[in-house]
Amino acid sequence: MALKLDELKPRVEAAVPGAALQIVPNPIPGGQPSLLVDNAHALEVARFLRDDPALRLDYASNVTGVDWLDTVLQEKHKVKQVVEGVEREIEETTEVKRPGYLEVVYHLYSMELKHGPLVLRLRTGNRTDQVSVPSLTPVWRGAEFQEREVYDLYGVVFDGHPDLRRILMWEGFKDYPMRKDYVEPDDYEYEPTPHDEVMEKAKGHYPAQHGV
Amino acid sequence: MNEVLQGRDASPRRPGCGSGGRLGEASLPAPAPEGAGAPGFALTRNGHGSLLELSIGPQHPSTHGVFRMDVALDGERVVGLKPVFGYLHRNHEKIGENTTYLGSMPYTDRLDYFCSLTNNWAYALTVEKLAGLQPPPRAEYIRIITAELTRLQNHASLVGFLLQDMGAMGTPLMYAFREREKVLDLFESLTGARMMCNYMRFGGCRCDLPPGWLEQAKEVVDGFPRFLDELEALLSENEILLSRTQGVGVLPRELAVSAGITGPMLRASGVNYDIRKVDQYGIYDRFAFRVPMGDHGDVYDRYMIRVLEMRESLKILEAALRDIPEGPIVDPKAKLRGFRPKAGEVYGRIEAPKGELGFYLISDGSPQPYRYRVRPPSFINLTVLEDMCRGRHVADVVIILGSVDIVMGEVDR
């Protein structure tokens, strides 16, 4: 049983004054929209969602990251223009640059009341220097390893996490492999009869022999 | 309708061995307060002398794969434990984002390689939610039958491995593997592979049941209670098993919920949460089965829950093998080639033998998922390993880990 966000949003706003909430639509049929919370009030909102007797979202099932690159969105507007003395509506396309950001998505359920999911989203400022969001591990212990994984693979820094270290990659690993612009290391090994991708790599390594 | 089996009357609790166990309740540290997380090691002095740091694994038979625990010991007593993993990490999620939706299906077999059919089902179910597909009834029945057979062989082997960890060398494990072998033979004749089944498709299954398969499956299901009776007669009231498992690795109910523990481990702590009942995905609402629950949340309860769950699975299997209808096995709307779901996102989950297995997909309308995420139950169930082990002996760590039921292919992904 999914929760209705339009009813929920005013209640959260009343309980956590100053929280900036936004409903992110999900276009697929029957899709579950999600609740975008600002970083400053995320912890308070999370505590409210967990402790409110009608919600009791005591179980953070899935915590994960999403990488959104810088994109150019095309927005269509209808503009009134006077063409040859007659006012007409004309569709104009404007290009809007959307700077990239990293997103952390929480899927919350209630084990007590057996409802859910509620999808909670947090966003970082950008993908380079403002990559921190508050950790929700103090509210749901189940987020501990999963937030570590998001830190490890996406590079999101969780403020207030008790033990923020890499978890799947080794210590000392530099990059964040799940980011969309991650470049794999060049792990070329010599092959006597290279072809396709290996051939392309070989050309870089043995330019004089054209890769052979 | 959610009939609950609280503990069991015949459960042979030793007197005075409630949740305390050999160390007694008082000597066990209190569960970590909310938000404290796992404190780091105080690896210098703790007032009793210096601590010994011991690295168990990654190549150790009792760690169930390439898994390492950095344990801090005060004498024989565990004061801190940090699980270390990633030795089997191949970035499954990145591979999933670089291939088509269907291309990930064989890779899901490799997550929890004991339960490839439930992995297939969780992924297929999620994509079906995304694309609006509905498997026909026969396919739903086949899915239930294969999933419950998977649960049987997973729990049987887990019990075998757990006893192996306890020092019952060989025999229980071989008995369990004998039963697992029969189930794997069924999988082989159905899918062509014993473990890497790659059987489900979006909107149905890959191929229909071969002739005579249902009769073979019935034979296996009919013979299974005899194995369970034998196993229980030998083990469930065995004095050594009781003294090794009761009161060991206690997981309190509140911590289990907060830490997102799922599956038999959660229910052993007394939380009534089975996704087969809560979500009623597939056609689970058509079957009558009970959800076994434990009282104490110790290793013994986790063992017992698995045995009882196998008995409940047998009930589902009997009904499903009896009622399976004839008909098509794939939704005619399903497209094998050129499959491009509309933009949007979806989270789908099932009750896998190890807990809640979820898939989170974001589609941008292209043939490949923009985001492909696996919610691995055994990875998240390890969150509380330290809390369960603190205050226990090293030998208990091995069986506590064994009772969590992990497969490194899923933990590391």
Side-chain angles (χ1 to χ4, degrees), chain B residues 13 39 51 71 75 90 97 102-103 106 114 144 160 199 244 256 268 314 347 358 386-387:
Chain B
R13 285 271 152 194
L51 297 180
V71 187
R90 66 266 184 204
E97 285 170 20
L102 187 58
F114 265 65
I144 293 236
Y199 179 63
R244 281 302 303 279
L314 288 171
Y347 180 66
E386 178 172 26
D387 303 69

PDB file of all heavy atoms in Angstrom, chain B residues 13 39 51 71 75 90 97 102-103 106 114 144 160 199 244 256 268 314 347 358 386-387:
ATOM      1  N   ARG B  13      13.559 -25.682  25.110  1.00  0.00           N
ATOM      2  CA  ARG B  13      14.399 -24.680  25.776  1.00  0.00           C
ATOM      3  C   ARG B  13      15.002 -25.297  27.015  1.00  0.00           C
ATOM      4  O   ARG B  13      14.291 -25.866  27.843  1.00  0.00           O
ATOM      5  CB  ARG B  13      13.561 -23.472  26.182  1.00  0.00           C
ATOM      6  CG  ARG B  13      13.197 -22.606  25.033  1.00  0.00           C
ATOM      7  CD  ARG B  13      14.257 -21.563  24.786  1.00  0.00           C
ATOM      8  NE  ARG B  13      14.216 -21.219  23.377  1.00  0.00           N
ATOM      9  CZ  ARG B  13      15.175 -20.542  22.779  1.00  0.00           C
ATOM     10  NH1 ARG B  13      16.234 -20.149  23.446  1.00  0.00           N
ATOM     11  NH2 ARG B  13      15.096 -20.258  21.515  1.00  0.00           N
ATOM     12  N   PRO B  39      30.526   1.514  17.208  1.00  0.00           N
ATOM     13  CA  PRO B  39      31.667   2.304  17.633  1.00  0.00           C
ATOM     14  C   PRO B  39      32.963   1.705  17.099  1.00  0.00           C
ATOM     15  O   PRO B  39      33.044   0.509  16.859  1.00  0.00           O
ATOM     16  CB  PRO B  39      31.603   2.212  19.156  1.00  0.00           C
ATOM     17  CG  PRO B  39      30.826   0.976  19.431  1.00  0.00           C
ATOM     18  CD  PRO B  39      29.900   0.778  18.292  1.00  0.00           C
ATOM     19  N   LEU B  51      44.389  -5.502  23.969  1.00  0.00           N
ATOM     20  CA  LEU B  51      43.487  -6.284  23.133  1.00  0.00           C
ATOM     21  C   LEU B  51      44.278  -6.959  22.026  1.00  0.00           C
ATOM     22  O   LEU B  51      45.305  -6.461  21.578  1.00  0.00           O
ATOM     23  CB  LEU B  51      42.435  -5.372  22.505  1.00  0.00           C
ATOM     24  CG  LEU B  51      41.491  -4.661  23.462  1.00  0.00           C
ATOM     25  CD1 LEU B  51      40.518  -3.818  22.673  1.00  0.00           C
ATOM     26  CD2 LEU B  51      40.762  -5.649  24.319  1.00  0.00           C
ATOM     27  N   VAL B  71      38.569  -8.732  14.096  1.00  0.00           N
ATOM     28  CA  VAL B  71      37.982  -8.913  15.411  1.00  0.00           C
ATOM     29  C   VAL B  71      38.965  -8.408  16.458  1.00  0.00           C
ATOM     30  O   VAL B  71      40.161  -8.674  16.375  1.00  0.00           O
ATOM     31  CB  VAL B  71      37.679 -10.403  15.665  1.00  0.00           C
ATOM     32  CG1 VAL B  71      36.911 -10.572  16.959  1.00  0.00           C
ATOM     33  CG2 VAL B  71      36.910 -10.990  14.521  1.00  0.00           C
ATOM     34  N   GLY B  75      41.056 -11.302  25.681  1.00  0.00           N
ATOM     35  CA  GLY B  75      41.105 -12.727  26.007  1.00  0.00           C
ATOM     36  C   GLY B  75      40.413 -13.499  24.911  1.00  0.00           C
ATOM     37  O   GLY B  75      40.774 -13.393  23.743  1.00  0.00           O
ATOM     38  N   ARG B  90      32.554  -6.879  -8.441  1.00  0.00           N
ATOM     39  CA  ARG B  90      32.787  -6.697  -9.886  1.00  0.00           C
ATOM     40  C   ARG B  90      31.898  -5.618 -10.436  1.00  0.00           C
ATOM     41  O   ARG B  90      31.672  -5.545 -11.635  1.00  0.00           O
ATOM     42  CB  ARG B  90      32.615  -8.014 -10.635  1.00  0.00           C
ATOM     43  CG  ARG B  90      31.198  -8.578 -10.645  1.00  0.00           C
ATOM     44  CD  ARG B  90      30.966  -9.567  -9.551  1.00  0.00           C
ATOM     45  NE  ARG B  90      29.668 -10.180  -9.602  1.00  0.00           N
ATOM     46  CZ  ARG B  90      29.052 -10.717  -8.552  1.00  0.00           C
ATOM     47  NH1 ARG B  90      29.606 -10.701  -7.368  1.00  0.00           N
ATOM     48  NH2 ARG B  90      27.892 -11.273  -8.675  1.00  0.00           N
ATOM     49  N   GLU B  97      24.021  -1.384 -15.953  1.00  0.00           N
ATOM     50  CA  GLU B  97      23.684  -0.128 -16.623  1.00  0.00           C
ATOM     51  C   GLU B  97      24.280  -0.053 -18.018  1.00  0.00           C
ATOM     52  O   GLU B  97      23.915   0.816 -18.800  1.00  0.00           O
ATOM     53  CB  GLU B  97      24.179   1.058 -15.773  1.00  0.00           C
ATOM     54  CG  GLU B  97      23.287   1.272 -14.565  1.00  0.00           C
ATOM     55  CD  GLU B  97      23.850   2.258 -13.570  1.00  0.00           C
ATOM     56  OE1 GLU B  97      24.720   3.063 -13.942  1.00  0.00           O
ATOM     57  OE2 GLU B  97      23.419   2.213 -12.405  1.00  0.00           O
ATOM     58  N   LEU B 102      17.272  -7.106 -20.687  1.00  0.00           N
ATOM     59  CA  LEU B 102      17.303  -8.563 -20.668  1.00  0.00           C
ATOM     60  C   LEU B 102      18.724  -9.074 -20.436  1.00  0.00           C
ATOM     61  O   LEU B 102      18.918 -10.134 -19.844  1.00  0.00           O
ATOM     62  CB  LEU B 102      16.764  -9.112 -22.001  1.00  0.00           C
ATOM     63  CG  LEU B 102      16.578 -10.619 -22.060  1.00  0.00           C
ATOM     64  CD1 LEU B 102      15.626 -11.090 -20.976  1.00  0.00           C
ATOM     65  CD2 LEU B 102      16.073 -11.040 -23.412  1.00  0.00           C
ATOM     66  N   GLY B 103      19.706  -8.302 -20.874  1.00  0.00           N
ATOM     67  CA  GLY B 103      21.100  -8.728 -20.734  1.00  0.00           C
ATOM     68  C   GLY B 103      21.518  -8.927 -19.291  1.00  0.00           C
ATOM     69  O   GLY B 103      22.463  -9.660 -19.007  1.00  0.00           O
ATOM     70  N   PRO B 106      20.928 -12.986 -16.967  1.00  0.00           N
ATOM     71  CA  PRO B 106      21.891 -14.021 -16.559  1.00  0.00           C
ATOM     72  C   PRO B 106      22.826 -13.557 -15.441  1.00  0.00           C
ATOM     73  O   PRO B 106      23.273 -14.377 -14.649  1.00  0.00           O
ATOM     74  CB  PRO B 106      22.685 -14.304 -17.830  1.00  0.00           C
ATOM     75  CG  PRO B 106      21.994 -13.639 -18.940  1.00  0.00           C
ATOM     76  CD  PRO B 106      21.092 -12.613 -18.378  1.00  0.00           C
ATOM     77  N   PHE B 114      23.117 -19.438  -4.873  1.00  0.00           N
ATOM     78  CA  PHE B 114      22.318 -20.554  -4.381  1.00  0.00           C
ATOM     79  C   PHE B 114      20.869 -20.417  -4.842  1.00  0.00           C
ATOM     80  O   PHE B 114      20.165 -21.404  -4.911  1.00  0.00           O
ATOM     81  CB  PHE B 114      22.352 -20.598  -2.843  1.00  0.00           C
ATOM     82  CG  PHE B 114      23.395 -21.518  -2.309  1.00  0.00           C
ATOM     83  CD1 PHE B 114      24.724 -21.258  -2.529  1.00  0.00           C
ATOM     84  CD2 PHE B 114      23.041 -22.649  -1.603  1.00  0.00           C
ATOM     85  CE1 PHE B 114      25.699 -22.111  -2.051  1.00  0.00           C
ATOM     86  CE2 PHE B 114      24.006 -23.509  -1.120  1.00  0.00           C
ATOM     87  CZ  PHE B 114      25.341 -23.239  -1.341  1.00  0.00           C
ATOM     88  N   ILE B 144       6.166 -19.609  -8.576  1.00  0.00           N
ATOM     89  CA  ILE B 144       6.002 -19.965  -7.160  1.00  0.00           C
ATOM     90  C   ILE B 144       6.666 -21.305  -6.882  1.00  0.00           C
ATOM     91  O   ILE B 144       7.385 -21.464  -5.891  1.00  0.00           O
ATOM     92  CB  ILE B 144       4.499 -20.004  -6.809  1.00  0.00           C
ATOM     93  CG1 ILE B 144       3.920 -18.603  -6.893  1.00  0.00           C
ATOM     94  CG2 ILE B 144       4.280 -20.661  -5.450  1.00  0.00           C
ATOM     95  CD1 ILE B 144       3.259 -18.095  -5.679  1.00  0.00           C
ATOM     96  N   GLY B 160      22.723 -27.271   7.031  1.00  0.00           N
ATOM     97  CA  GLY B 160      23.900 -28.130   6.936  1.00  0.00           C
ATOM     98  C   GLY B 160      25.181 -27.378   7.211  1.00  0.00           C
ATOM     99  O   GLY B 160      26.033 -27.809   7.995  1.00  0.00           O
ATOM    100  N   TYR B 199      16.176 -18.290 -16.041  1.00  0.00           N
ATOM    101  CA  TYR B 199      14.944 -18.915 -16.484  1.00  0.00           C
ATOM    102  C   TYR B 199      13.791 -17.936 -16.704  1.00  0.00           C
ATOM    103  O   TYR B 199      13.000 -18.100 -17.613  1.00  0.00           O
ATOM    104  CB  TYR B 199      14.533 -19.982 -15.461  1.00  0.00           C
ATOM    105  CG  TYR B 199      13.246 -20.671 -15.804  1.00  0.00           C
ATOM    106  CD1 TYR B 199      13.143 -21.417 -16.970  1.00  0.00           C
ATOM    107  CD2 TYR B 199      12.139 -20.559 -14.981  1.00  0.00           C
ATOM    108  CE1 TYR B 199      11.961 -22.040 -17.304  1.00  0.00           C
ATOM    109  CE2 TYR B 199      10.953 -21.183 -15.304  1.00  0.00           C
ATOM    110  CZ  TYR B 199      10.870 -21.919 -16.469  1.00  0.00           C
ATOM    111  OH  TYR B 199       9.700 -22.529 -16.793  1.00  0.00           O
ATOM    112  N   ARG B 244      25.181 -24.858  22.184  1.00  0.00           N
ATOM    113  CA  ARG B 244      25.964 -23.955  21.343  1.00  0.00           C
ATOM    114  C   ARG B 244      25.142 -22.786  20.803  1.00  0.00           C
ATOM    115  O   ARG B 244      25.703 -21.742  20.467  1.00  0.00           O
ATOM    116  CB  ARG B 244      26.554 -24.716  20.138  1.00  0.00           C
ATOM    117  CG  ARG B 244      27.784 -25.541  20.416  1.00  0.00           C
ATOM    118  CD  ARG B 244      28.948 -24.748  20.973  1.00  0.00           C
ATOM    119  NE  ARG B 244      29.393 -23.631  20.156  1.00  0.00           N
ATOM    120  CZ  ARG B 244      30.191 -23.751  19.115  1.00  0.00           C
ATOM    121  NH1 ARG B 244      30.627 -24.927  18.733  1.00  0.00           N
ATOM    122  NH2 ARG B 244      30.571 -22.680  18.440  1.00  0.00           N
ATOM    123  N   ALA B 256      16.655  -5.097  15.176  1.00  0.00           N
ATOM    124  CA  ALA B 256      16.428  -5.801  13.912  1.00  0.00           C
ATOM    125  C   ALA B 256      15.604  -4.945  12.959  1.00  0.00           C
ATOM    126  O   ALA B 256      15.901  -4.856  11.774  1.00  0.00           O
ATOM    127  CB  ALA B 256      15.730  -7.127  14.170  1.00  0.00           C
ATOM    128  N   ALA B 268      13.031 -14.436  13.226  1.00  0.00           N
ATOM    129  CA  ALA B 268      13.537 -15.105  14.430  1.00  0.00           C
ATOM    130  C   ALA B 268      13.550 -14.148  15.609  1.00  0.00           C
ATOM    131  O   ALA B 268      13.471 -14.565  16.756  1.00  0.00           O
ATOM    132  CB  ALA B 268      14.939 -15.643  14.172  1.00  0.00           C
ATOM    133  N   LEU B 314       6.678 -26.424   1.838  1.00  0.00           N
ATOM    134  CA  LEU B 314       6.156 -27.689   1.303  1.00  0.00           C
ATOM    135  C   LEU B 314       4.647 -27.610   1.116  1.00  0.00           C
ATOM    136  O   LEU B 314       4.102 -28.138   0.138  1.00  0.00           O
ATOM    137  CB  LEU B 314       6.507 -28.836   2.247  1.00  0.00           C
ATOM    138  CG  LEU B 314       7.983 -29.234   2.242  1.00  0.00           C
ATOM    139  CD1 LEU B 314       8.270 -30.215   3.361  1.00  0.00           C
ATOM    140  CD2 LEU B 314       8.370 -29.848   0.913  1.00  0.00           C
ATOM    141  N   TYR B 347      10.600   0.457  -7.885  1.00  0.00           N
ATOM    142  CA  TYR B 347      11.283  -0.409  -6.936  1.00  0.00           C
ATOM    143  C   TYR B 347      10.428  -1.653  -6.734  1.00  0.00           C
ATOM    144  O   TYR B 347       9.257  -1.565  -6.407  1.00  0.00           O
ATOM    145  CB  TYR B 347      11.483   0.313  -5.593  1.00  0.00           C
ATOM    146  CG  TYR B 347      12.190  -0.519  -4.554  1.00  0.00           C
ATOM    147  CD1 TYR B 347      13.513  -0.891  -4.734  1.00  0.00           C
ATOM    148  CD2 TYR B 347      11.544  -0.956  -3.405  1.00  0.00           C
ATOM    149  CE1 TYR B 347      14.171  -1.668  -3.799  1.00  0.00           C
ATOM    150  CE2 TYR B 347      12.194  -1.724  -2.457  1.00  0.00           C
ATOM    151  CZ  TYR B 347      13.511  -2.076  -2.660  1.00  0.00           C
ATOM    152  OH  TYR B 347      14.162  -2.851  -1.735  1.00  0.00           O
ATOM    153  N   GLY B 358      15.546  -6.642  -3.464  1.00  0.00           N
ATOM    154  CA  GLY B 358      14.875  -5.594  -4.209  1.00  0.00           C
ATOM    155  C   GLY B 358      15.689  -5.156  -5.405  1.00  0.00           C
ATOM    156  O   GLY B 358      16.917  -5.270  -5.420  1.00  0.00           O
ATOM    157  N   GLU B 386      28.312  -7.113  14.257  1.00  0.00           N
ATOM    158  CA  GLU B 386      29.109  -6.719  15.421  1.00  0.00           C
ATOM    159  C   GLU B 386      28.250  -6.713  16.692  1.00  0.00           C
ATOM    160  O   GLU B 386      28.692  -7.191  17.741  1.00  0.00           O
ATOM    161  CB  GLU B 386      29.718  -5.329  15.205  1.00  0.00           C
ATOM    162  CG  GLU B 386      30.501  -4.870  16.415  1.00  0.00           C
ATOM    163  CD  GLU B 386      31.286  -3.600  16.176  1.00  0.00           C
ATOM    164  OE1 GLU B 386      30.890  -2.819  15.307  1.00  0.00           O
ATOM    165  OE2 GLU B 386      32.289  -3.404  16.873  1.00  0.00           O
ATOM    166  N   ASP B 387      27.023  -6.197  16.579  1.00  0.00           N
ATOM    167  CA  ASP B 387      26.160  -6.126  17.756  1.00  0.00           C
ATOM    168  C   ASP B 387      25.849  -7.515  18.301  1.00  0.00           C
ATOM    169  O   ASP B 387      25.692  -7.700  19.501  1.00  0.00           O
ATOM    170  CB  ASP B 387      24.857  -5.419  17.396  1.00  0.00           C
ATOM    171  CG  ASP B 387      25.105  -4.041  16.836  1.00  0.00           C
ATOM    172  OD1 ASP B 387      25.634  -3.943  15.710  1.00  0.00           O
ATOM    173  OD2 ASP B 387      24.817  -3.073  17.519  1.00  0.00           O
TER     174      ASP B 387
END
